[in-house]
Amino acid sequence: MSHETVQRPLGIAILTVSDTRTIETDKGGNTVEHFVLAANHSVKDRAIVIDDYNSIRNTLIPWCNDESIDVIITTGGTGIAARDVTIEAVKSLFEKQIPGFGEIFRYLSYTEDIGTKAIASRAEAGVNTNTLIFSIPGSVGAVTLAMSQLIIPEMPHLVREITK
């Protein structure tokens, strides 16, 4: 089986879920943006919302319907604290889940970054219509790991798969 990829720059939207971050202090979102731009893709939109189910969905739904946005990457709110509702909001929009992303991310987090603390990560990926969605933790270490080893290398192939 060939590993065909989309050969054009992809349009990316970045959502940071945090009660405290601003664009200036959003190290996780800034790291996502750095990786996106370094890979010659474009940032079509970026937002910060509080840890609130409806706020997250209300930001994501228009992005899923925007044909210029191929991929949405959310950071933050993926843990197990009561306020962490990113995964619930994002999964409610999935038409298809991509369980391998979360499984491999947790494995890499365990072996290369945070050890057994990785069991508390609920990182997920899935598809809404023709939009690929990744939800990753907000720490710079987690973002760097996800972006460098999984998202940037696989994004063009996954986008091609969901749009062919």
Side-chain angles (χ1 to χ4, degrees), residues 27-28 31 35 113 137-145:
K27 292 179 182 172
T31 303
F35 275 98
D113 190 22
S139 75
V140 171
V143 170
T144 300
L145 180 75

Side-chain angles (χ1 to χ4, degrees), residues 28-79:
N30 292 338
T31 303
V32 171
E33 184 166 334
H34 165 78
F35 275 98
V36 166
L37 297 176
N40 296 312
H41 300 299
S42 64
V43 175
K44 296 296 184 183
D45 205 351
R46 184 167 170 192
I48 299 175
V49 298
I50 61 169
D51 290 274
D52 175 74
Y53 182 88
N54 290 323
S55 297
I56 296 165
R57 281 180 51 93
N58 291 340
T59 304
L60 296 178
I61 290 168
W63 287 351
C64 289
N65 294 322
D66 183 335
E67 291 185 10
S68 75
I69 295 173
D70 300 294
V71 181
I72 297 169
I73 301 168
T74 77
T75 68
T78 61

Side-chain angles (χ1 to χ4, degrees), residues 24 36 70-71 87 90 104 111 124 134 149 155-156:
E24 295 75 35
V36 166
D70 300 294
V71 181
I87 299 304
V90 171
I104 294 171
T111 59
E124 287 275 354
F134 294 99
Q149 296 198 40
M155 218 169 37

Side-chain angles (χ1 to χ4, degrees), residues 76-162:
T78 61
I80 58 171
R83 295 279 303 147
D84 292 331
V85 296
T86 300
I87 299 304
E88 288 72 22
V90 171
K91 282 177 81 170
S92 75
L93 300 174
F94 286 171
E95 294 164 359
K96 292 189 172 144
Q97 289 185 253
I98 307 172
F101 171 76
E103 293 162 359
I104 294 171
F105 174 78
R106 281 181 285 279
Y107 170 76
L108 292 172
S109 294
Y110 170 73
T111 59
E112 299 183 19
D113 190 22
I114 59 172
T116 54
K117 289 181 181 71
I119 67 169
S121 171
R122 298 187 303 139
E124 287 275 354
V127 178
N128 176 289
T129 315
N130 288 328
T131 308
L132 185 59
I133 304 171
F134 294 99
S135 291
I136 58 178
S139 75
V140 171
V143 170
T144 300
L145 180 75
M147 293 300 293
S148 65
Q149 296 198 40
L150 297 171
I151 297 174
I152 293 296
E154 289 303 318
M155 218 169 37
H157 170 69
L158 294 172
V159 168
R160 183 185 179 282
E161 286 298 306
I162 65 175

